[in-house]
Amino acid sequence: MEQVRLLEAIIETAIDGIITIDTRGRIESLNPAALKLFGYGLDEVKGRNINMLMPEPDKSGHDGYLHRYQTTHEKRIIGIGREVRGLRKDGTTFPFRLAVSEVQYDDRIIYTGFIHDLSKEKEAEERLREYAAELEELVEERTKSLRKTVRALSEAKEEVSLSLEKEKELNQMKSRFVSMASHEFRTPLSSVQLSSSLIEKYAQPFNNKNITKHVGKIKNAVGNLTTILNDFLSLERLEAGIVEPTFAPFDLVKLSEEVTEEMQMIAKQEQHIIYQHTGLESMVNLDQNLIRNCMINLISNSIKYSGENTFIEFNTEINDKQCFITIKDNGIGIPESDQKHLFQPFFRANNTGNIPGTGLGLNIVLRYATLMQGNLHFESSINKATTFKLSFNK
């Protein structure tokens, strides 16, 4: 008896609907979840044909389906089930997954149906499809607009005359334009990035490769656009002379570990960032925000210009006199003929190909290091190792 009461309690409290019918298709019982799904009371459905809960054409064909099932003498259990539609009392329909099992009970056969409502899942799928389409369109529009902005800046730079007064006016106009464009695009790009992350999260239960693929494209495009905007805005602030370092003590090791974790999330497949610190001390007195930007910029370059299945070495060192930050990769390297121009704004080496970039990152890192009375050195060989080292006096 205790087992019977336990079974009844499980059925009564089940989240999914449970229906039992006899061999003639007449309803014998519905649990509370099933009654709620269809909008009936038990006395309204008990003893009636199960097809009352089905819309056409399933309603007309159910008796024939049940007869064929019984006459085949094929005793089977439908485990995972199939997607069908149910008819509520108010005439509306809804999708659900139906699993049916044949049960021998008191010398007779009954059929038990297990009903899992799919309404919310179907609504979510539709919303995801709509959101993905909207986001793709939005990113495409923003990308075109930003390309026009970059193209306009490039054309403006080429048209600068030898007149100092005109050059000054053009630089002022460019600074205002870059600042305005950066701020105007930052908010919608942040919204697109957040929405794409939410779509990725909500799409996980559906395991849809197409959604994952397109969300990845959106996030990559937004990441590239955000990097471009940040580079232009940083350059504008540097040229305007409004970047002043704020020196304060902070834990270099803790910051480096945070940056390593953050950058590992955007690394390529099987691309690993290996961080190591040398020295007993971990505290330095520098501008933490500028150091963080330098680290991110240099590690981003290593990620971009190195292939999959590679290692990026990230090292910090503090001794009695100096502090060092070193990033080393095994990527495409920098041609010797281009190395003398490497820190010029908008310059990119001739072997970068289609790899995205603005040519501003290293110029910004050098200027940040200079503001903190530091130095930036590098060594590079084609298709071998490239090493950048920041050094600061204590």
Side-chain angles (χ1 to χ4, degrees):
M1 290 299 296
E2 184 176 348
Q3 290 182 341
V4 172
R5 287 195 298 270
L6 176 60
L7 181 59
E8 290 177 348
I10 292 173
I11 294 173
E12 290 295 309
T13 59
I15 297 175
D16 288 342
I18 301 174
I19 299 177
T20 61
I21 64 173
D22 62 17
T23 55
R24 298 177 61 183
R26 293 176 301 189
I27 298 172
E28 292 194 352
S29 67
L30 280 80
N31 73 337
L35 292 171
K36 183 178 179 181
L37 280 174
F38 289 96
Y40 284 101
L42 182 60
D43 58 337
E44 295 179 278
V45 296
K46 189 172 183 179
R48 298 182 62 182
N49 195 296
I50 188 65
N51 65 14
M52 69 174 292
L53 304 179
M54 304 174 184
E56 295 293 355
D58 293 335
K59 181 174 183 177
S60 299
H62 181 265
D63 289 343
Y65 169 79
L66 185 61
H67 176 72
R68 287 191 300 274
Y69 176 85
Q70 294 168 342
T71 54
T72 58
H73 300 293
E74 183 182 343
K75 305 305 181 183
R76 59 191 183 276
I77 297 177
I78 306 175
I80 297 177
R82 58 193 179 97
E83 288 189 17
V84 296
R85 299 195 68 82
L87 178 66
R88 297 189 181 94
K89 182 179 179 180
D90 61 9
T92 60
T93 63
F94 66 99
F96 65 88
R97 182 175 289 110
L98 173 66
V100 179
S101 65
E102 182 180 305
V103 181
Q104 191 76 30
Y105 176 71
D106 285 346
D107 297 327
R108 66 191 185 95
I109 294 174
I110 62 172
Y111 302 104
T112 303
F114 300 89
I115 297 172
H116 178 68
D117 187 10
L118 297 175
S119 299
K120 291 183 179 179
E121 285 88 338
K122 295 297 182 182
E123 291 174 4
E125 287 179 3
E126 183 60 29
R127 286 198 298 270
L128 284 171
R129 283 192 291 269
E130 294 174 357
Y131 290 158
E134 292 174 3
L135 284 171
E136 285 189 18
E137 183 178 351
L138 179 58
V139 170
E140 184 177 355
E141 291 176 359
R142 297 300 185 188
T143 302
K144 290 180 180 178
S145 180
L146 186 60
R147 285 174 179 168
K148 291 179 181 179
T149 300
V150 175
R151 189 161 51 248
L153 287 173
S154 178
E155 292 172 355
K157 183 181 177 182
E158 293 174 359
E159 295 173 358
V160 173
S161 68
L162 297 176
S163 169
L164 293 178
E165 187 61 29
K166 288 184 178 180
E167 184 177 357
K168 181 180 179 180
E169 292 175 358
L170 182 59
N171 285 334
Q172 290 175 345
M173 179 184 69
K174 183 185 70 174
S175 296
R176 290 195 300 269
F177 181 77
V178 171
S179 180
M180 178 193 69
S182 297
H183 287 295
E184 287 296 318
F185 281 106
R186 192 177 300 276
T187 299
L189 283 175
S190 297
S191 298
V192 173
Q193 185 78 346
L194 175 60
S195 296
S196 62
S197 296
L198 290 174
I199 288 176
E200 188 175 43
K201 175 184 176 182
Y202 294 140
Q204 287 178 355
F206 305 107
N207 194 26
N208 189 310
K209 292 183 179 179
N210 289 325
I211 293 178
T212 303
K213 172 184 175 182
H214 289 293
V215 169
K217 287 184 177 180
I218 292 170
K219 295 176 75 173
N220 288 337
V222 172
N224 290 335
L225 293 178
T226 302
T227 299
I228 292 172
L229 288 176
N230 289 337
D231 285 349
F232 275 109
L233 187 58
S234 297
L235 180 65
E236 188 271 333
R237 289 169 58 84
L238 284 166
E239 291 185 345
I242 60 177
V243 179
E244 292 290 339
T246 302
F247 292 92
F250 67 94
D251 192 326
L252 180 64
V253 174
K254 181 179 178 182
L255 174 64
S256 301
E257 289 173 345
E258 291 174 354
V259 171
T260 300
E261 183 177 359
E262 178 181 340
M263 301 307 293
Q264 185 63 63
M265 295 177 66
I266 64 172
K268 297 175 183 175
Q269 184 175 358
E270 296 301 319
Q271 194 178 59
H272 300 284
I273 303 171
I274 309 301
Y275 172 68
Q276 185 174 5
H277 176 71
T278 303
L280 299 176
E281 298 182 46
S282 63
M283 300 299 294
V284 294
N285 190 47
L286 295 166
D287 187 311
Q288 183 170 350
N289 287 329
L290 296 187
I291 290 294
R292 178 184 177 86
N293 286 334
C294 290
M295 290 176 173
I296 290 175
N297 205 307
L298 292 175
I299 295 175
S300 294
N301 282 347
S302 293
I303 291 173
K304 284 195 299 184
Y305 299 120
S306 300
E308 299 178 352
N309 302 297
T310 57
F311 290 91
I312 297 169
E313 299 176 31
F314 177 23
N315 300 312
T316 55
E317 179 183 352
I318 301 175
N319 58 33
D320 294 336
K321 297 181 179 180
Q322 288 184 300
C323 162
F324 299 98
I325 299 170
T326 306
I327 290 93
K328 178 181 179 181
D329 64 59
N330 298 291
I332 63 175
I334 304 165
E336 186 174 351
S337 59
D338 290 337
Q339 293 184 9
K340 60 183 177 181
H341 305 295
L342 196 60
F343 297 104
Q344 296 178 4
F346 300 101
F347 177 81
R348 304 195 72 208
N350 59 36
N351 63 335
T352 55
N354 294 324
I355 301 173
T358 61
L360 294 174
L362 291 176
N363 176 267
I364 292 170
V365 172
L366 176 61
R367 294 170 74 168
Y368 281 167
T370 303
L371 285 172
M372 292 182 285
Q373 293 84 51
N375 294 295
L376 175 61
H377 304 278
F378 78 97
E379 296 178 0
S380 183
S381 300
I382 287 291
N383 296 322
K384 291 185 179 178
T386 297
T387 303
F388 283 89
K389 175 178 275 190
L390 287 161
S391 59
F392 304 92
N393 293 326
K394 291 185 67 176

